[in-house]
Amino acid sequence: MDNRLLRNKLFQNIEEAELTKMLSCAKAQEREYTSEEYIFRQGQKPCKLFLILEGTVMIAKDFASGKRDVLFLVEEGDVFGEMFLFSDTESYWYDAIAQSKVKILEISWSFFYSFCQNACRHHQQITKNMLEIQSEKNFFMTRKLHLLSGTTLRERIAIWLVEQKEKNGIVSLNMKREALADFLGTTRPSLSRELMKLQQEGLIEVEKNRIKIIDRNELEALCG
């Protein structure tokens, strides 16, 4: 049994022996995807829950115009596809794209909808875990709505930086600059120009894979 599964939120408070039976009952499968490979596409029928064992996956909405709206990134230990599990939506309305080589545990929805002799005692716990994960995702999307409420790019960047900063005032860049621009609803050149302006004004310090907040008060004042 992979210890990462035992530590995962989806399986919290479930013993190893119980989890082994559950995964067998669910006919869960591990699959690997290469960078830029689609795990699923818009329009396909939802039927699985996905748990990332290794790597990063981008959840994005592509438009006919070529524009891409990056909704969020999911990383090792994260679950995705869960929002379709308890809804009557007949098709995915976004894409899931591997951002690196990824390993994913795929669990059929039929496991969550049925009860069996091997695992039915633990369905209550895993359903509770799923609801907690869904609650966290809803909170994240609420925060993104707050982010997009910024009327200017400068406001959106400021809100994002304040939301993402760690205790040491550092914001780690866990996505490529182009993906970050899509997430913030702008273009990469516009994002780079605005970041440079904020740096020149002494509010931030931009490094390769991180941004250091220099003047937190002034940055928060930009959030509106």
Side-chain angles (χ1 to χ4, degrees):
M1 171 66 66
D2 191 327
N3 288 332
R4 289 173 299 185
L5 292 180
L6 295 172
R7 296 192 301 267
N8 192 269
K9 290 181 180 180
L10 181 61
F11 305 121
Q12 65 184 354
N13 299 322
I14 297 175
E15 299 296 329
E16 181 174 353
E18 298 168 347
L19 179 54
T20 299
K21 290 180 181 179
M22 291 176 69
L23 294 179
S24 175
C25 173
K27 296 181 175 59
Q29 295 182 329
E30 289 187 11
R31 288 193 59 186
E32 292 188 357
Y33 296 85
T34 58
S35 181
E36 301 304 319
E37 185 176 359
Y38 284 78
I39 290 88
F40 58 74
R41 292 176 178 268
Q42 300 173 48
Q44 291 181 338
K45 183 178 179 180
C47 61
K48 295 179 181 179
L49 181 74
F50 303 89
L51 170 61
I52 300 181
L53 301 176
E54 297 176 7
T56 303
V57 173
M58 176 192 291
I59 303 300
K61 175 73 174 178
D62 287 336
F63 297 90
S65 63
K67 181 181 181 300
R68 168 173 288 176
D69 182 9
V70 176
L71 302 176
F72 51 88
L73 294 182
V74 281
E75 301 177 319
E76 182 176 320
D78 289 337
V79 168
F80 64 98
E82 80 292 336
M83 69 173 59
F84 298 94
L85 179 58
F86 301 112
S87 74
D88 58 359
T89 305
E90 297 183 355
S91 62
Y92 291 115
W93 59 271
Y94 56 61
D95 299 317
I97 311 162
Q99 294 301 284
S100 59
K101 180 179 178 181
V102 298
K103 181 185 292 185
I104 294 177
L105 181 70
E106 301 182 352
I107 306 174
S108 172
W109 283 4
S110 61
F111 171 72
F112 296 93
Y113 292 145
S114 62
F115 295 84
C116 71
Q117 293 179 351
N118 290 332
C120 63
R121 292 177 302 161
H122 317 299
H123 268 76
Q124 183 177 4
Q125 181 62 52
I126 199 170
T127 299
K128 178 177 181 293
N129 295 344
M130 276 296 310
L131 291 174
E132 289 179 356
I133 290 172
Q134 184 66 59
S135 177
E136 291 177 1
K137 291 287 184 69
N138 289 341
F139 178 65
F140 174 85
M141 294 309 295
T142 300
R143 290 174 67 181
K144 182 168 186 183
L145 287 174
H146 171 61
L147 167 69
L148 295 178
S149 69
T151 56
T152 67
L153 176 56
R154 170 173 284 236
E155 288 178 9
R156 296 198 297 275
I157 292 175
I159 293 171
W160 180 77
L161 288 170
V162 170
E163 290 281 353
Q164 295 295 314
K165 67 177 176 59
E166 301 168 8
K167 290 182 179 180
N168 58 5
I170 299 294
V171 176
S172 299
L173 300 177
N174 60 355
M175 65 178 82
K176 298 177 182 178
R177 192 66 64 88
E178 184 174 352
L180 178 57
D182 289 335
F183 182 79
L184 294 172
T186 187
T187 63
R188 179 173 178 173
S190 296
L191 173 62
S192 296
R193 283 196 298 270
E194 199 59 53
L195 287 174
M196 287 302 100
K197 288 181 182 178
L198 292 172
Q199 179 169 262
Q200 291 168 1
E201 294 169 15
L203 276 64
I204 62 173
E205 184 177 293
V206 181
E207 299 180 7
K208 185 177 181 181
N209 295 315
R210 65 179 198 167
I211 298 174
K212 182 177 181 180
I213 296 177
I214 305 299
D215 191 334
R216 175 180 172 178
N217 291 335
E218 187 62 29
L219 197 64
E220 290 181 348
L222 294 177
C223 295

